[in-house]
Amino acid sequence: MAVVQVPEAKVALSTASVYPESTAAAFEIAARLGYDGVEVMVWTDAVSQDAEALRGLSRHYGVPVRSVHAPCLLVTQRVWSPDPWERLRRAAGLAVALDAPVVVVHPPFTWQRDYARGFTAGLAGLRESFPGVRFAIENMFPVRMAGREFVPYAPSWDPTRVGFDAYTLDLSHCAAARNDALAMADGMGSELAHVHLGDGSGEGRDEHLVPGRGNQPCAALLASLAGRGYRGSIAVEVNTRRSPSRAERESDLAEALAFARTHLAASSNVDA
């Protein structure tokens, strides 16, 4: 059989990966290390919310924005607006302004009853308003405390149980949920639109380790992407907040990039 060369997916740096450094620092680091772009995590940093500021950083460093993570975290519930639909609309507008094809979205929290009730229909409306943007729903995880487990997302932490037309696969979240990342990728199928690359130990908490430092099938997932027909990007989303220096933070992020490219290379030669 002939071997077909498949272009490797682009590897972006999530701005969350440099926290507590700034959004601007993420562009600088991404450029220095040779990342193919950034994912902008919209949070309390004013620059992360500002299309003109982000365009300026992208031009200055020569680093495109490949995805926008909507402000869905507990700590970003009042970024832009307390209305979750307004936050998604603003995130989509930001993505359009930055030529980013994907907006990463978390499932609703259980206490967001109206939002959860109308989530599927609301997403359909957003797709009509922003036809060039894919709203990629991210897999999450149950929370375990004091020997008990509860699910803070409605109707589930696993979006494939509901069914959407685009997904983000987060491997650290798979570790926290103690579920099979490769099986989840299979469940997402052709609707897998985006990947958050991080690792975890399976201890039931969200760790976002540098890939290769946990027990998740990060290498296998990356190597399987071409065979899955994947055409999205990979966003390195790791926790470096305990790095004692910029040099050590950059060392971890360089290691993550090298890991991604090594195993994506295995994915780029497929049998026809």
Side-chain angles (χ1 to χ4, degrees), residues 160-224:
T160 66
R161 295 181 184 177
V162 179
F164 295 97
D165 69 353
Y167 298 104
T168 296
L169 175 64
D170 187 303
L171 284 92
S172 176
H173 294 175
C174 288
R178 298 173 181 163
N179 74 298
D180 185 327
L182 294 173
M184 176 155 281
D186 290 341
M188 292 177 173
S190 61
E191 285 76 42
L192 175 59
H194 192 59
V195 173
H196 278 166
L197 181 61
D199 213 332
S201 65
E203 291 299 320
R205 54 194 172 88
D206 191 18
E207 297 169 287
H208 287 284
L209 303 177
V210 171
R213 297 185 186 178
N215 60 14
Q216 291 304 290
C218 298
L221 185 279
L222 292 169
S224 76

Side-chain angles (χ1 to χ4, degrees), residues 90-137:
R90 295 280 294 271
L94 187 63
V96 170
L98 298 170
D99 294 321
V102 169
V103 170
V104 177
V105 183
H106 289 184
F109 289 114
T110 53
W111 55 85
Q112 295 174 307
R113 292 184 179 85
D114 290 342
Y115 178 49
R117 193 177 301 116
F119 191 58
T120 300
L123 286 174
L126 284 174
R127 288 194 297 273
E128 290 182 5
S129 299
F130 301 94
V133 175
R134 299 192 77 183
F135 296 86
I137 313 306

Side-chain angles (χ1 to χ4, degrees), residues 27-256:
F27 279 84
E28 177 191 353
I29 292 170
R32 180 180 300 113
L33 297 181
Y35 275 83
D36 300 313
V38 300
E39 173 172 303
V40 172
M41 170 72 80
V42 179
W43 65 301
T44 54
D45 181 348
V47 170
S48 74
Q49 307 170 29
D50 186 327
E52 189 55 41
L54 292 165
R55 273 196 297 262
L57 288 167
S58 180
R59 286 194 298 265
H60 178 74
Y61 289 108
V63 176
V65 176
R66 298 196 177 276
S67 51
V68 171
H69 195 309
C72 303
L73 307 177
L74 280 173
V75 296
T76 59
Q77 291 297 292
R78 294 196 174 271
V79 167
W80 284 331
S81 169
D83 177 4
W85 288 118
E86 178 62 16
R87 293 198 298 274
L88 289 192
R89 282 190 289 271
R90 295 280 294 271
L94 187 63
V96 170
L98 298 170
D99 294 321
V102 169
V103 170
V104 177
V105 183
H106 289 184
F109 289 114
T110 53
W111 55 85
Q112 295 174 307
R113 292 184 179 85
D114 290 342
Y115 178 49
R117 193 177 301 116
F119 191 58
T120 300
L123 286 174
L126 284 174
R127 288 194 297 273
E128 290 182 5
S129 299
F130 301 94
V133 175
R134 299 192 77 183
F135 296 86
I137 313 306
E138 185 172 5
N139 61 295
M140 301 305 291
F141 51 92
V143 175
R144 299 177 180 89
M145 298 176 63
R148 296 185 177 184
E149 178 179 296
F150 71 96
V151 177
Y153 303 99
S156 174
W157 57 266
D158 178 358
T160 66
R161 295 181 184 177
V162 179
F164 295 97
D165 69 353
Y167 298 104
T168 296
L169 175 64
D170 187 303
L171 284 92
S172 176
H173 294 175
C174 288
R178 298 173 181 163
N179 74 298
D180 185 327
L182 294 173
M184 176 155 281
D186 290 341
M188 292 177 173
S190 61
E191 285 76 42
L192 175 59
H194 192 59
V195 173
H196 278 166
L197 181 61
D199 213 332
S201 65
E203 291 299 320
R205 54 194 172 88
D206 191 18
E207 297 169 287
H208 287 284
L209 303 177
V210 171
R213 297 185 186 178
N215 60 14
Q216 291 304 290
C218 298
L221 185 279
L222 292 169
S224 76
L225 289 178
R228 295 175 184 277
Y230 184 72
R231 293 295 181 268
S233 60
I234 314 294
V236 168
E237 191 179 69
V238 297
N239 184 350
T240 67
R241 69 187 62 189
R242 294 184 180 176
S243 297
S245 67
R246 164 67 77 88
E248 292 197 39
R249 173 169 290 115
E250 290 193 8
S251 177
D252 282 348
L253 297 176
E255 180 182 331

